[in-house]
Amino acid sequence: MVEAFVGTWNLKESKNFDDYMKALGVGFATRQVGSMTKPTTIISLEGDVITLKTVSTFKTTEIKFKLEEEFDETTADDRKVKSLVTIDGGKLVHVQKWDGKETTLVREVNGNNLTLTLTLGEVVCTRSYFKVPYLKPLPELLHHCARAATSPSQTIYTSQYFHHQLQEKGAV
């Protein structure tokens, strides 16, 4: 079931994130930067170990865990929490506990869209992501460009075409 979550996900929309960060106790300056960043989340699976990496211009975090096994986590806002991730009804449910508080991060996949619902007390935030299509590594694409071209000028044109396609897919 975890396989549905595997992939690269880019944030497209966020609702109520500032209020959620405020409820966590995140300071004003960090909230401003956090609200402006559009992170990419990369979820991978190796055996029974799930890796969840969040990359942005502000900060990069990575956690590795097994389902239904508690682990220590340092969050993007530097909280030290005890985390537990489970699958419940096709959703990836991540519970963080610290200092008598608890927040829940629920990920749900629908086709090429992932919805992350963050809940802390009465505060609910939703963040919507879209799946980045898998692309062959750039050197392999360029190799195909060169093989498809019959002249040096056609190689340049074909390379420019592929670069444009990569830009449209958000890969460059």
Side-chain angles (χ1 to χ4, degrees), residues 14 16 20 34 40 51 64 67 88 91 95 99 114 133 150 159 170:
S14 188
N16 213 28
Y20 176 75
T40 296
T51 301
K64 293 181 183 238
L67 289 175
D88 184 12
K91 299 176 184 180
V95 177
D99 297 336
L114 181 145
T150 57
S159 296

Side-chain angles (χ1 to χ4, degrees), residues 14-35:
S14 188
K15 295 179 183 172
N16 213 28
F17 191 51
D18 186 67
D19 286 341
Y20 176 75
M21 288 188 293
K22 192 182 296 182
L24 287 173
V26 176
F28 178 76
T30 304
R31 287 199 325 268
Q32 293 301 105
V33 173
S35 291

Side-chain angles (χ1 to χ4, degrees), residues 28-45:
F28 178 76
T30 304
R31 287 199 325 268
Q32 293 301 105
V33 173
S35 291
M36 291 175 25
T37 59
K38 294 225 173 209
T40 296
T41 298
I42 303 159
I43 301 173
S44 59
L45 178 64

Side-chain angles (χ1 to χ4, degrees), residues 111-124:
N112 287 329
N113 295 295
L114 181 145
T115 302
L116 171 60
T117 304
L118 307 153
T119 306
L120 177 59
E122 298 296 315
V123 179
V124 178

Side-chain angles (χ1 to χ4, degrees), residues 37-99:
T37 59
K38 294 225 173 209
T40 296
T41 298
I42 303 159
I43 301 173
S44 59
L45 178 64
E46 190 171 322
D48 60 352
V49 177
I50 300 166
T51 301
L52 198 152
K53 184 175 184 176
T54 303
V55 180
S56 75
T57 53
F58 177 60
K59 194 165 200 173
T60 295
T61 61
E62 180 176 294
I63 56 173
K64 293 181 183 238
F65 57 90
K66 292 181 180 181
L67 289 175
E68 300 185 17
E69 287 187 17
E70 189 176 71
F71 62 97
D72 293 320
E73 177 183 0
T74 300
T75 64
D77 59 323
D78 290 324
R79 284 175 293 121
K80 309 285 188 243
V81 301
K82 291 285 186 187
S83 288
L84 180 68
V85 181
T86 59
I87 296 278
D88 184 12
K91 299 176 184 180
L92 196 63
V93 180
H94 182 168
V95 177
Q96 298 174 336
K97 295 181 180 182
W98 76 105
D99 297 336

